[in-house]
Amino acid sequence: EDQVTQSPEALRLQEGESSSLNCSYTVSGLRGLFWYRQDPGKGPEFLFTLYSAGEEKEKERLKATLTKKESFLHITAPKPEDSATYLCAVLSYAGNMLTFGGGTRLMVKP
Amino acid sequence: DTGVSQNPRHKITKRGQNVTFRCDPISEHNRLYWYRQTLGQGPEFLTYFQNEAQLEKSRLLSDRFSAERPKGSFSTLEIQRTEQGDSAMYLCASSSSGEYYEQYFGPGTRLTVT
């Protein structure tokens, strides 16, 4: 059974204070690892897909990396508008559904 | 086309009533998914359609839940004899069947069972 664990559950940062979110996974054949951003009361918003170990992707202040066991979402010089819950999910070759972690709630204070 | 849409956005119902939600996927996407999300948790898979065929269902999906996708376009999710434990956000997502597997989510339907 695919499993995804995200840490920390919550993270408070000052504006400009860089940090990383962790996503550890076990999966029977990784087809893709996905990062989403979710604002309160809204659906998840797609950020990145990573397909193989060593791959990296960037978007504005966010950078996602992937190893064979975990993925990191690095946030450089965050702003208050980056406050949200960040979700990690995996897709395996065994099916077509995403298996999500519990998310990291990020709060960036001005 | 601006993305996946879901209706209604909010639904309050009494225990024992039936409810139905609708999802309209991104027009060129032939794959459609339903997920359920409770407060503080990540979304949990419910069921998956490719065109009009329902190909996967979660083992956790109660027989009170049924989903359809007639003609491979919009989809409906019905919950019969609702229970308080059904209170959650119901999310719909869609994707293409090409090389990339990104699932794009709608805004969700918030169900409250009183």
PDB file of all heavy atoms in Angstrom, chain A residues 75-93:
ATOM      1  N   ILE A  75      11.354  26.666   0.112  1.00  0.00           N
ATOM      2  CA  ILE A  75      10.732  27.985  -0.060  1.00  0.00           C
ATOM      3  C   ILE A  75      11.789  29.035   0.271  1.00  0.00           C
ATOM      4  O   ILE A  75      12.262  29.107   1.414  1.00  0.00           O
ATOM      5  CB  ILE A  75       9.500  28.133   0.854  1.00  0.00           C
ATOM      6  CG1 ILE A  75       8.506  27.027   0.544  1.00  0.00           C
ATOM      7  CG2 ILE A  75       8.862  29.499   0.659  1.00  0.00           C
ATOM      8  CD1 ILE A  75       7.293  27.026   1.433  1.00  0.00           C
ATOM      9  N   THR A  76      12.114  29.824  -0.729  1.00  0.00           N
ATOM     10  CA  THR A  76      13.162  30.837  -0.578  1.00  0.00           C
ATOM     11  C   THR A  76      12.526  32.206  -0.368  1.00  0.00           C
ATOM     12  O   THR A  76      11.688  32.629  -1.161  1.00  0.00           O
ATOM     13  CB  THR A  76      14.058  30.867  -1.820  1.00  0.00           C
ATOM     14  OG1 THR A  76      14.640  29.566  -2.019  1.00  0.00           O
ATOM     15  CG2 THR A  76      15.171  31.899  -1.661  1.00  0.00           C
ATOM     16  N   ALA A  77      12.951  32.869   0.704  1.00  0.00           N
ATOM     17  CA  ALA A  77      12.468  34.226   1.019  1.00  0.00           C
ATOM     18  C   ALA A  77      10.950  34.316   0.905  1.00  0.00           C
ATOM     19  O   ALA A  77      10.420  35.077   0.075  1.00  0.00           O
ATOM     20  CB  ALA A  77      13.145  35.254   0.118  1.00  0.00           C
ATOM     21  N   PRO A  78      10.218  33.533   1.695  1.00  0.00           N
ATOM     22  CA  PRO A  78       8.755  33.498   1.557  1.00  0.00           C
ATOM     23  C   PRO A  78       8.100  34.832   1.893  1.00  0.00           C
ATOM     24  O   PRO A  78       8.638  35.642   2.673  1.00  0.00           O
ATOM     25  CB  PRO A  78       8.333  32.416   2.544  1.00  0.00           C
ATOM     26  CG  PRO A  78       9.417  32.388   3.566  1.00  0.00           C
ATOM     27  CD  PRO A  78      10.675  32.658   2.805  1.00  0.00           C
ATOM     28  N   LYS A  79       6.917  35.023   1.308  1.00  0.00           N
ATOM     29  CA  LYS A  79       6.098  36.190   1.550  1.00  0.00           C
ATOM     30  C   LYS A  79       4.795  35.740   2.213  1.00  0.00           C
ATOM     31  O   LYS A  79       4.425  34.557   2.103  1.00  0.00           O
ATOM     32  CB  LYS A  79       5.802  36.922   0.242  1.00  0.00           C
ATOM     33  CG  LYS A  79       7.044  37.440  -0.463  1.00  0.00           C
ATOM     34  CD  LYS A  79       6.674  38.185  -1.739  1.00  0.00           C
ATOM     35  CE  LYS A  79       7.920  38.753  -2.408  1.00  0.00           C
ATOM     36  NZ  LYS A  79       7.587  39.511  -3.630  1.00  0.00           N
ATOM     37  N   PRO A  80       4.086  36.660   2.860  1.00  0.00           N
ATOM     38  CA  PRO A  80       2.817  36.268   3.508  1.00  0.00           C
ATOM     39  C   PRO A  80       1.847  35.569   2.559  1.00  0.00           C
ATOM     40  O   PRO A  80       1.109  34.668   2.985  1.00  0.00           O
ATOM     41  CB  PRO A  80       2.263  37.606   3.995  1.00  0.00           C
ATOM     42  CG  PRO A  80       3.482  38.429   4.271  1.00  0.00           C
ATOM     43  CD  PRO A  80       4.464  38.049   3.182  1.00  0.00           C
ATOM     44  N   GLU A  81       1.857  35.933   1.288  1.00  0.00           N
ATOM     45  CA  GLU A  81       0.942  35.297   0.334  1.00  0.00           C
ATOM     46  C   GLU A  81       1.298  33.847   0.030  1.00  0.00           C
ATOM     47  O   GLU A  81       0.528  33.138  -0.635  1.00  0.00           O
ATOM     48  CB  GLU A  81       0.872  36.090  -0.977  1.00  0.00           C
ATOM     49  CG  GLU A  81       2.194  36.369  -1.627  1.00  0.00           C
ATOM     50  CD  GLU A  81       2.704  37.781  -1.302  1.00  0.00           C
ATOM     51  OE1 GLU A  81       2.591  38.203  -0.132  1.00  0.00           O
ATOM     52  OE2 GLU A  81       3.244  38.436  -2.235  1.00  0.00           O
ATOM     53  N   ASP A  82       2.435  33.383   0.516  1.00  0.00           N
ATOM     54  CA  ASP A  82       2.793  31.963   0.379  1.00  0.00           C
ATOM     55  C   ASP A  82       2.132  31.114   1.465  1.00  0.00           C
ATOM     56  O   ASP A  82       2.232  29.874   1.441  1.00  0.00           O
ATOM     57  CB  ASP A  82       4.308  31.777   0.458  1.00  0.00           C
ATOM     58  CG  ASP A  82       5.035  32.419  -0.710  1.00  0.00           C
ATOM     59  OD1 ASP A  82       4.493  32.354  -1.845  1.00  0.00           O
ATOM     60  OD2 ASP A  82       6.114  32.988  -0.502  1.00  0.00           O
ATOM     61  N   SER A  83       1.462  31.748   2.413  1.00  0.00           N
ATOM     62  CA  SER A  83       0.776  31.016   3.480  1.00  0.00           C
ATOM     63  C   SER A  83      -0.327  30.160   2.878  1.00  0.00           C
ATOM     64  O   SER A  83      -1.188  30.662   2.134  1.00  0.00           O
ATOM     65  CB  SER A  83       0.187  31.993   4.500  1.00  0.00           C
ATOM     66  OG  SER A  83       1.207  32.734   5.127  1.00  0.00           O
ATOM     67  N   ALA A  84      -0.293  28.875   3.166  1.00  0.00           N
ATOM     68  CA  ALA A  84      -1.247  27.905   2.619  1.00  0.00           C
ATOM     69  C   ALA A  84      -0.882  26.536   3.175  1.00  0.00           C
ATOM     70  O   ALA A  84       0.123  26.384   3.880  1.00  0.00           O
ATOM     71  CB  ALA A  84      -1.190  27.865   1.087  1.00  0.00           C
ATOM     72  N   THR A  85      -1.689  25.536   2.828  1.00  0.00           N
ATOM     73  CA  THR A  85      -1.315  24.152   3.113  1.00  0.00           C
ATOM     74  C   THR A  85      -0.709  23.563   1.846  1.00  0.00           C
ATOM     75  O   THR A  85      -1.274  23.693   0.752  1.00  0.00           O
ATOM     76  CB  THR A  85      -2.535  23.327   3.551  1.00  0.00           C
ATOM     77  OG1 THR A  85      -3.018  23.823   4.798  1.00  0.00           O
ATOM     78  CG2 THR A  85      -2.158  21.861   3.719  1.00  0.00           C
ATOM     79  N   TYR A  86       0.445  22.937   1.997  1.00  0.00           N
ATOM     80  CA  TYR A  86       1.124  22.310   0.865  1.00  0.00           C
ATOM     81  C   TYR A  86       0.975  20.804   0.973  1.00  0.00           C
ATOM     82  O   TYR A  86       1.332  20.200   1.990  1.00  0.00           O
ATOM     83  CB  TYR A  86       2.591  22.741   0.824  1.00  0.00           C
ATOM     84  CG  TYR A  86       2.715  24.205   0.458  1.00  0.00           C
ATOM     85  CD1 TYR A  86       2.626  25.197   1.429  1.00  0.00           C
ATOM     86  CD2 TYR A  86       2.867  24.593  -0.877  1.00  0.00           C
ATOM     87  CE1 TYR A  86       2.694  26.539   1.100  1.00  0.00           C
ATOM     88  CE2 TYR A  86       2.941  25.938  -1.229  1.00  0.00           C
ATOM     89  CZ  TYR A  86       2.854  26.898  -0.226  1.00  0.00           C
ATOM     90  OH  TYR A  86       2.905  28.229  -0.576  1.00  0.00           O
ATOM     91  N   LEU A  87       0.431  20.211  -0.080  1.00  0.00           N
ATOM     92  CA  LEU A  87       0.138  18.786  -0.117  1.00  0.00           C
ATOM     93  C   LEU A  87       1.076  18.076  -1.075  1.00  0.00           C
ATOM     94  O   LEU A  87       1.361  18.572  -2.167  1.00  0.00           O
ATOM     95  CB  LEU A  87      -1.304  18.553  -0.592  1.00  0.00           C
ATOM     96  CG  LEU A  87      -2.428  19.063   0.310  1.00  0.00           C
ATOM     97  CD1 LEU A  87      -3.747  19.099  -0.448  1.00  0.00           C
ATOM     98  CD2 LEU A  87      -2.554  18.201   1.547  1.00  0.00           C
ATOM     99  N   CYS A  88       1.512  16.902  -0.674  1.00  0.00           N
ATOM    100  CA  CYS A  88       2.343  16.035  -1.494  1.00  0.00           C
ATOM    101  C   CYS A  88       1.526  14.780  -1.815  1.00  0.00           C
ATOM    102  O   CYS A  88       0.762  14.292  -0.960  1.00  0.00           O
ATOM    103  CB  CYS A  88       3.602  15.670  -0.709  1.00  0.00           C
ATOM    104  SG  CYS A  88       4.644  14.421  -1.465  1.00  0.00           S
ATOM    105  N   ALA A  89       1.651  14.265  -3.019  1.00  0.00           N
ATOM    106  CA  ALA A  89       0.907  13.064  -3.403  1.00  0.00           C
ATOM    107  C   ALA A  89       1.747  12.229  -4.353  1.00  0.00           C
ATOM    108  O   ALA A  89       2.580  12.756  -5.095  1.00  0.00           O
ATOM    109  CB  ALA A  89      -0.414  13.439  -4.073  1.00  0.00           C
ATOM    110  N   VAL A  90       1.510  10.904  -4.333  1.00  0.00           N
ATOM    111  CA  VAL A  90       2.210  10.018  -5.254  1.00  0.00           C
ATOM    112  C   VAL A  90       1.211   9.277  -6.131  1.00  0.00           C
ATOM    113  O   VAL A  90       0.074   9.015  -5.731  1.00  0.00           O
ATOM    114  CB  VAL A  90       3.105   8.995  -4.507  1.00  0.00           C
ATOM    115  CG1 VAL A  90       4.222   9.704  -3.763  1.00  0.00           C
ATOM    116  CG2 VAL A  90       2.296   8.110  -3.590  1.00  0.00           C
ATOM    117  N   LEU A  91       1.662   8.958  -7.326  1.00  0.00           N
ATOM    118  CA  LEU A  91       0.903   8.147  -8.267  1.00  0.00           C
ATOM    119  C   LEU A  91       1.773   6.950  -8.614  1.00  0.00           C
ATOM    120  O   LEU A  91       2.916   7.119  -9.021  1.00  0.00           O
ATOM    121  CB  LEU A  91       0.599   8.960  -9.526  1.00  0.00           C
ATOM    122  CG  LEU A  91      -0.192   8.269 -10.621  1.00  0.00           C
ATOM    123  CD1 LEU A  91      -1.618   8.005 -10.163  1.00  0.00           C
ATOM    124  CD2 LEU A  91      -0.198   9.120 -11.889  1.00  0.00           C
ATOM    125  N   SER A  92       1.231   5.750  -8.419  1.00  0.00           N
ATOM    126  CA  SER A  92       2.003   4.547  -8.690  1.00  0.00           C
ATOM    127  C   SER A  92       1.510   3.882  -9.968  1.00  0.00           C
ATOM    128  O   SER A  92       0.460   4.231 -10.506  1.00  0.00           O
ATOM    129  CB  SER A  92       1.898   3.571  -7.517  1.00  0.00           C
ATOM    130  OG  SER A  92       0.664   2.885  -7.560  1.00  0.00           O
ATOM    131  N   TYR A  93       2.280   2.900 -10.418  1.00  0.00           N
ATOM    132  CA  TYR A  93       1.883   2.151 -11.605  1.00  0.00           C
ATOM    133  C   TYR A  93       0.754   1.169 -11.304  1.00  0.00           C
ATOM    134  O   TYR A  93       0.184   0.579 -12.213  1.00  0.00           O
ATOM    135  CB  TYR A  93       3.079   1.409 -12.196  1.00  0.00           C
ATOM    136  CG  TYR A  93       3.991   2.318 -12.972  1.00  0.00           C
ATOM    137  CD1 TYR A  93       5.141   2.828 -12.387  1.00  0.00           C
ATOM    138  CD2 TYR A  93       3.681   2.702 -14.283  1.00  0.00           C
ATOM    139  CE1 TYR A  93       5.981   3.682 -13.096  1.00  0.00           C
ATOM    140  CE2 TYR A  93       4.508   3.548 -14.986  1.00  0.00           C
ATOM    141  CZ  TYR A  93       5.655   4.044 -14.387  1.00  0.00           C
ATOM    142  OH  TYR A  93       6.472   4.886 -15.091  1.00  0.00           O
TER     143      TYR A  93
END
